């Protein structure tokens, strides 16, 4: 659906069901240079099972208007604005990669609004490889090719997409090339590289938190994900085998299963 | 800075030959089976009712019923998508059904297509006679008439369709320019790349939005199995205009799903499967998918041999006393030679047309006397194939209609195989000798 946030048109997938304000809200935040489509194998489940879902396109990304936000802090504030804009007081947040930094910072800034955090392939800091950062800022499509290489685990490189007929590397690459690379990936990578508040924010988080990590993840390795999770009070860790950073698609079912268990436990649908 | 640091990093994603052997398949998810298993089944168990509902609602990926998808067929689909540089693919029971499904996913009654006039005969019939029954009309344009494609576009045009190298005339479409014409008009370019395979040309890299293949031909190579596929490039923006409401508007058949919004770069394939396979059902059998996969494993080495044999054949024919003319894009005076160099850098394909001195009679004698070359109505087998259209596929036509179809009485169509070239040449010598004989008799 399309709606306005601070006067700018925003697109979010509602997971194939109409947006219904009576249902609890889960917001999905994509990673660097990507779009709402990375979440297609998680969102539809929740939308069909009693939740209102918004898989956002960040400003300047996918089908959303406006320009890309330049810092993780601005993105965190913007997520809070999204919650206000759709008339909610609270939401559960799910993030992937850069999206983890965003939702972590958002929960740090708005502790009352955010009910649970699900971090997929997250870390407390995501320092960028200087070459990758420079390629992306210079609008070089090689940035996308390198990202697709590093973002998929050994198994994902062969394929074996859960949706019959789709090929991981080219689908991901096309998503990341759907808008101008320097205005999406370039700005996002710089925002990740500049963000330094992750570990401090983690220590302040008091809400239920799940970290889903993949043992073939080169971009946010398990070690880094654990370092972050260990700072968050009572946080849970799930490790996905044989999988890389693009776990939402590479092992979509396993990710959905752990997310489902976590959300249904810590953010259940209230029965009247 | 050390030298090591200065060196730029290149992506280590797998390249063409590796992909043709491995793409789309993970052995560890299939009992460690090194070869792709043949899932000879119609249907798949659901874990529980929730799982069943999830599959039907497209909440999860997976298989329900082999008309819609099958694990062996899915390996083939991913493999061809990987080789073509596409986001997704959908395999079908034949090349014709891939073309039909593509058009049915794109068009509605009242729509119009601009189509190259040099196409495989079955495709011509589909566009000229069958699609109009469904309310889809076509304007045919000669493949070299790039401006003509532009002029033929109407308000209700929904796409441009063509074969990169037309058959049997070997006329080449200027794909990059025609892609631009399509995109300026806000419609996709669909290319039938059966004769090229992704080894010779990846149309998506030159602006095509959808690629279709008859896998029956060079992709499989062995001539044992019928199969087709459509591959999506993923770049085309279906939401840029209001021409494609069935891609962009809520679809009643799936809880108001908008394919373009939900699946973006794979929207076309998702719709072709969810709607087309469900409602028309031209599914590929798992056995045939497996057969085609066996062929694709050796695509590069086969295509190299096809092309090197074709080049030797062109040279041989050009200098042969019994040959009146030779048409192949590798011949320097072929009108599209320069375009072919640009679009087909790894080889110009293995389809050759040539004129035999002595006309129809000589053509018949040639065909009747070759022993190694097979006389049949197919192309792209590993074996050398020949046909004399004027006495077979097009025998009902007179001189004028033959000319209109780009054919002539003296034309032999040749699909060069990968046998030892000397053996093919010796066989042709026998054919040519026989072809000269009736002429000698009639000259006396
Ligand atoms: C270029 C081309 N496209 C499509 C087809 C149709 O494919 P199939 O015979 O697999 O249905 C053919 C068949 O000869 C062909 O040559």
């Amino acid at each position: 659906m399309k709606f306005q946030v601070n006067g700018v048109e925003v697109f979010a997938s509602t997971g194939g069901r109409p947006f219904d304000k009576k249902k609890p809200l889960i917001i999905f935040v994509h990673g660097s240079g990507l779009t709402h489509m990375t979440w297609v194998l998680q969102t539809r489940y929740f939308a069909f099972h009693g939740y209102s879902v918004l898989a956002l396109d960040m400003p300047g990304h996918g089908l959303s208007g406006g320009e890309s936000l330049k810092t993780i802090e601005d993105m965190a504030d913007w997520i809070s604005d999204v919650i206000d804009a759709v008339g909610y007081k609270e939401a559960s947040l799910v993030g992937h990669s850069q999206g983890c930094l965003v939702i972590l910072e958002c929960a740090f800034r708005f502790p009352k609004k955010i009910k649970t955090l699900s971090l997929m392939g997250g870390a407390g800091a995501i320092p960028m490889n200087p070459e990758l950062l420079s390629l992306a800022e210079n609008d070089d499509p090689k940035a996308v090719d390198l990202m697709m290489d590093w973002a998929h685990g050994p198994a994902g490189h062969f394929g074996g997409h859960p949706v019959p007929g789709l090929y991981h590397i080219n689908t991901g690459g096309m998503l990341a090339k759907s808008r101008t690379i320097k205005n999406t990936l370039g700005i996002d990578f710089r925002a990740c590289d500049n963000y330094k508040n992750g570990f401090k924010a983690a220590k302040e988080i008091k809400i239920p938190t799940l970290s889903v990590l993949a043992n073939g993840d080169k971009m946010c390795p398990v070690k880094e994900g654990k370092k972050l999770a260990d700072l968050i009070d009572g946080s849970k860790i799930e490790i996905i085998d044989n999988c890389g950073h693009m776990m939402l698609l590479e092992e979509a079912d396993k990710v959905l299963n752990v997310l489902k268990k976590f959300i249904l436990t810590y953010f259940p649908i209230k029965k009247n | 800075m050390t030298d090591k640091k200065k060196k730029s990093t290149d992506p280590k994603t797998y390249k063409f030959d590796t992909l043709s052997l491995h793409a789309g398949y993970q052995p560890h998810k299939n009992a460690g089976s090194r070869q792709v298993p043949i899932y000879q089944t119609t249907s798949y168990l659901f874990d529980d009712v929730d799982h069943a509902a999830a599959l039907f609602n497209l909440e999860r990926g997976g298989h329900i019923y082999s008309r819609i998808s099958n694990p062996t067929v899915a390996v083939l689909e991913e493999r061809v998508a990987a080789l073509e540089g596409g986001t997704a693919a959908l395999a079908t029971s034949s090349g014709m059904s891939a073309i039909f499904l593509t058009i049915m996913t794109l068009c509605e009654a009242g729509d119009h297509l601009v189509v190259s006039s040099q196409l495989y005969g079955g495709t011509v019939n589909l566009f000229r006679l069958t699609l109009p029954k469904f309310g889809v009309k076509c304007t045919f344009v000669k493949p070299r008439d790039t401006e003509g494609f532009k002029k033929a576009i109407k308000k209700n045009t929904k796409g441009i369709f063509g074969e990169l190298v037309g058959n049997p005339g070997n006329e080449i479409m200027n794909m990059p320019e025609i892609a631009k014409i399509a995109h300026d008009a806000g419609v996709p370019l669909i290319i039938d790349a059966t004769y090229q395979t992704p080894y010779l040309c990846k149309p998506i890299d030159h602006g095509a939005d959808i690629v279709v293949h008859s896998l029956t031909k060079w992709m499989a190579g062995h001539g044992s199995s019928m199969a087709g596929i459509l591959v999506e490039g993923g770049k085309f923006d279906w939401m840029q205009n209001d021409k494609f409401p069935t891609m962009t508007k809520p679809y009643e058949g799936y809880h108001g799903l908008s394919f373009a919004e939900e699946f973006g770069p794979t929207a076309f394939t998702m719709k072709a499967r969810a709607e087309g396979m469900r409602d028309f059902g031209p599914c590929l059998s798992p056995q045939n998918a497996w057969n085609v996969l066996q062929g694709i494993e050796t695509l590069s080495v086969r295509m190299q041999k096809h092309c090197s044999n074709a080049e030797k054949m062109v040279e041989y024919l050009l200098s042969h006393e019994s040959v009146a003319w030779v048409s192949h894009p590798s011949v320097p005076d072929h009108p599209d030679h320069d375009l072919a160099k640009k679009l087909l850098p790894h080889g110009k394909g293995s389809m050759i047309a040539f004129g035999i001195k002595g006309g129809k009679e000589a053509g018949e004698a040639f065909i009747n006397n070759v022993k190694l070359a097979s006389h049949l109505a197919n192309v792209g087998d590993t074996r050398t194939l020949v046909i004399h259209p004027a006495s077979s596929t097009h025998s009902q036509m007179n001189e004028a209609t033959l000319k209109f179809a780009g054919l002539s009485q003296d034309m032999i169509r040749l699909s060069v195989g990968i046998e030892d070239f000397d053996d093919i040449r010796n066989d042709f010598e026998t054919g040519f000798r026989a072809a000269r004989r009736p002429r000698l008799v009639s000259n006396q």
Side-chain angles (χ1 to χ4, degrees):
Chain A
M1 75 175 187
K2 289 204 161 153
F3 57 104
Q4 301 271 319
V5 180
N6 306 329
V8 174
E9 190 173 67
V10 172
F11 176 83
S13 162
T14 57
R17 305 302 294 151
F19 191 73
D20 178 354
K21 283 193 190 170
K22 291 194 286 300
K23 296 175 177 172
L25 174 62
I26 311 176
I27 295 182
F28 293 78
V29 185
H30 62 75
S32 299
L34 296 171
T35 77
H36 70 276
M37 283 167 208
T38 48
W39 295 110
V40 69
L41 293 176
Q42 284 81 33
T43 46
R44 294 177 68 81
Y45 175 85
F46 290 101
F48 277 85
H49 289 80
Y51 291 89
S52 268
V53 163
L54 291 178
L56 296 164
D57 278 342
M58 295 298 285
H61 290 61
L63 304 172
S64 280
E67 291 189 0
S68 298
L69 301 172
K70 294 199 167 50
T71 66
I72 298 297
E73 289 82 351
D74 285 351
M75 297 179 204
D77 287 345
W78 184 79
I79 297 291
S80 165
D81 294 344
V82 166
I83 299 172
D84 298 343
V86 292
Y88 274 75
K89 292 210 164 40
E90 58 178 51
S92 263
L93 303 183
V94 186
H96 174 233
S97 192
Q98 169 191 301
C100 295
L101 301 180
V102 175
I103 66 171
L104 183 66
E105 181 65 22
C106 183
F108 170 71
R109 291 177 175 231
F110 307 97
K112 295 215 168 62
K113 249 184 190 171
I114 310 306
K115 293 299 151 192
T116 72
L117 285 184
S118 303
L119 308 165
M120 311 281 166
I126 310 183
M128 294 309 302
N129 170 303
E131 189 188 348
L132 183 60
L133 179 58
S134 152
L135 288 168
E137 289 188 325
N138 286 302
D139 215 23
D140 191 328
K142 193 175 158 190
V144 174
D145 298 340
L146 278 177
M147 176 164 103
M148 287 304 123
D149 174 9
W150 297 341
H152 289 90
H157 270 256
F158 290 122
H161 202 291
V163 178
L166 272 56
Y167 183 61
H168 281 308
I169 303 245
N170 296 347
T171 306
M174 204 46 77
L175 277 185
K177 286 180 195 156
S178 62
R179 302 274 289 258
T180 312
I181 293 167
K182 68 172 185 217
N183 296 340
T184 52
L185 206 56
I187 291 176
D188 288 350
F189 279 170
R190 181 61 70 185
C192 287
D193 200 55
N194 282 340
Y195 180 65
K196 303 286 183 260
N197 196 44
F199 295 110
K200 187 175 153 225
K203 290 181 195 156
E204 304 296 321
I205 303 295
K206 302 286 179 246
I207 53 175
T209 302
L210 167 71
S211 283
V212 185
L213 305 168
N215 66 357
D217 189 340
K218 283 197 213 168
M219 299 191 102
C220 293
V222 169
K223 196 171 78 171
E224 295 301 317
K226 277 190 171 162
K227 215 194 291 176
L228 173 70
D230 287 346
L231 293 175
I232 303 174
D233 209 13
S235 100
K236 287 167 192 44
I237 298 180
E238 295 277 358
I239 311 253
I240 311 277
D241 283 340
N242 244 316
C243 184
H245 191 56
M246 292 306 289
M247 55 183 75
L248 314 180
L249 295 163
E250 284 182 75
E251 285 295 349
D253 265 5
K254 288 186 190 162
V255 168
L256 175 58
N257 290 345
V258 294
L259 185 62
K260 196 173 123 182
K261 201 168 107 199
F262 176 75
I263 297 270
L264 297 185
T265 309
Y266 294 100
F267 192 57
I269 299 158
K270 291 189 191 84
K271 303 227 160 64
N272 311 319
Chain B
M1 240 195 230
T2 63
D3 273 2
K4 207 173 161 199
K5 270 197 177 155
K6 260 190 267 165
K7 208 174 148 237
S8 80
T9 321
D10 279 321
K12 293 190 182 60
T13 36
Y14 295 119
K15 299 182 182 64
F16 194 88
D17 294 356
T18 308
L19 292 172
S20 61
L21 287 153
H22 293 278
Y25 180 59
Q26 295 185 14
H28 76 273
K29 287 191 176 162
N30 290 278
S33 169
R34 181 55 274 180
Q35 183 51 281
V36 177
I38 301 170
Y39 282 88
Q40 192 64 54
T41 182
T42 56
S43 37
Y44 308 84
L45 282 181
F46 305 126
D47 297 343
D48 50 33
V49 287
D50 201 35
H51 180 228
L55 287 168
F56 280 102
N57 290 335
L58 306 178
E59 292 165 27
R60 291 179 185 264
H63 305 283
I64 297 174
Y65 188 58
S66 287
R67 171 158 31 82
I68 317 290
S69 67
N70 167 283
T72 311
V73 179
V75 175
L76 172 65
E77 292 167 337
E78 268 196 60
R79 191 159 301 178
V80 179
L83 292 174
E84 283 288 6
T87 53
L90 173 63
T92 58
S93 53
S94 68
M96 281 320 297
S97 53
I99 297 171
F100 181 68
L101 206 57
T102 300
I103 303 306
M104 282 311 179
T105 304
L106 192 67
C107 294
E108 289 175 71
D111 287 348
H112 170 259
L113 293 164
V114 180
V115 179
S116 162
S117 62
Q118 257 201 31
L119 299 173
Y120 161 63
T123 318
V124 173
N125 285 331
L126 171 69
F127 283 112
R128 203 168 68 84
L129 303 171
T130 308
L131 287 175
K133 292 199 289 187
F134 294 85
V136 177
K137 297 221 169 86
C138 305
T139 304
F140 288 95
V141 178
K142 291 224 162 86
R144 284 190 187 120
D145 182 10
T146 304
E147 265 308 294
F149 282 90
K150 191 169 174 176
K151 289 201 196 104
I153 287 177
K154 302 182 189 181
K155 249 176 95 179
N156 59 341
T157 300
K158 296 297 164 73
I160 297 181
F161 182 98
E163 288 174 21
L164 179 55
V165 182
N167 164 47
N170 281 323
E171 287 188 35
I172 305 185
M173 282 173 82
N174 193 327
M175 186 163 45
E177 283 188 21
I178 294 173
K180 192 169 174 309
I181 289 168
H183 298 155
D184 286 348
V187 301
L189 173 65
I190 306 147
I191 292 289
D192 179 336
T194 299
Y195 283 40
Q196 287 73 51
T197 82
Y199 177 78
L200 295 183
C201 179
K202 295 185 195 180
I204 291 167
D205 288 350
H206 299 281
D209 301 290
I210 297 160
V211 179
V212 294
H213 283 281
S214 165
L215 299 175
T216 317
K217 311 288 164 18
W218 288 263
M219 289 290 268
H222 36 57
S224 76
S225 313
M226 302 297 300
I229 202 159
L230 67 90
V231 187
E232 180 167 12
K235 221 179 276 174
F236 190 79
D237 178 6
W238 301 103
M239 297 164 86
Q240 64 181 292
N241 52 40
D242 55 9
K243 287 182 192 287
F244 305 99
T246 63
M247 294 293 297
T248 57
K249 297 269 177 304
Y251 177 51
E252 211 189 309
Y254 270 98
H255 294 289
L257 174 77
S258 155
F259 285 99
E261 275 185 7
E262 201 76 347
F263 300 112
T266 60
F268 190 80
T269 312
M270 292 299 287
K271 182 173 182 251
R273 190 185 300 281
E275 179 186 69
M277 286 313 242
R278 185 193 61 190
D279 303 350
F280 299 119
C283 55
L284 179 61
S285 77
Q287 176 68 60
N288 274 1
W290 190 87
N291 294 348
V292 175
L293 279 168
Q294 302 320 294
I296 290 178
E297 291 193 351
T298 57
L299 182 61
S300 285
V301 282
R302 282 189 292 107
M303 290 310 286
Q304 284 161 16
K305 184 82 194 279
H306 274 297
C307 289
S308 69
N309 269 0
E311 277 170 28
K312 286 179 193 161
M313 178 57 83
V314 166
E315 214 177 295
Y316 161 71
L317 292 173
L318 279 173
S319 60
H320 202 285
E321 52 169 344
S322 299
V323 174
W325 53 268
V326 181
S327 168
H328 187 258
S330 69
V331 178
D333 65 1
H334 186 282
D336 304 314
H337 182 66
D338 289 340
L339 187 59
K341 272 211 244 171
K342 188 171 137 199
L343 297 177
L344 305 165
H346 300 305
K348 313 289 175 280
S350 55
M351 289 301 296
I352 300 173
F354 67 90
I356 188 161
K357 287 184 185 161
K360 189 174 177 189
E361 227 179 299
E364 285 172 1
F366 176 85
I367 294 285
N368 282 338
N369 285 281
V370 286
K371 297 283 176 279
L372 180 66
S374 312
H375 176 215
L376 49 74
N378 190 22
V379 294
D381 197 303
T382 38
R383 287 151 281 249
T384 295
L385 315 176
V386 288
I387 199 157
H388 177 231
S391 65
S392 59
T393 47
H394 298 72
S395 56
Q396 322 85 328
M397 291 187 177
N398 59 28
E399 199 80 41
T401 44
L402 275 177
K403 193 161 178 236
F404 185 76
L407 299 160
S408 53
Q409 298 283 5
D410 65 348
M411 177 193 277
I412 305 252
R413 191 186 74 177
L414 161 62
S415 172
V416 183
I418 63 174
E419 299 96 340
D420 288 291
F421 180 72
D422 287 353
D423 293 334
I424 312 174
R425 189 192 47 211
N426 291 340
D427 190 40
F428 271 42
E429 275 306 317
T430 313
F432 282 132
R433 230 176 289 127
R436 281 194 299 269
R437 237 172 274 134
R439 209 151 39 92
L440 290 176
V441 173
S442 64
N443 280 350
Q444 280 170 357

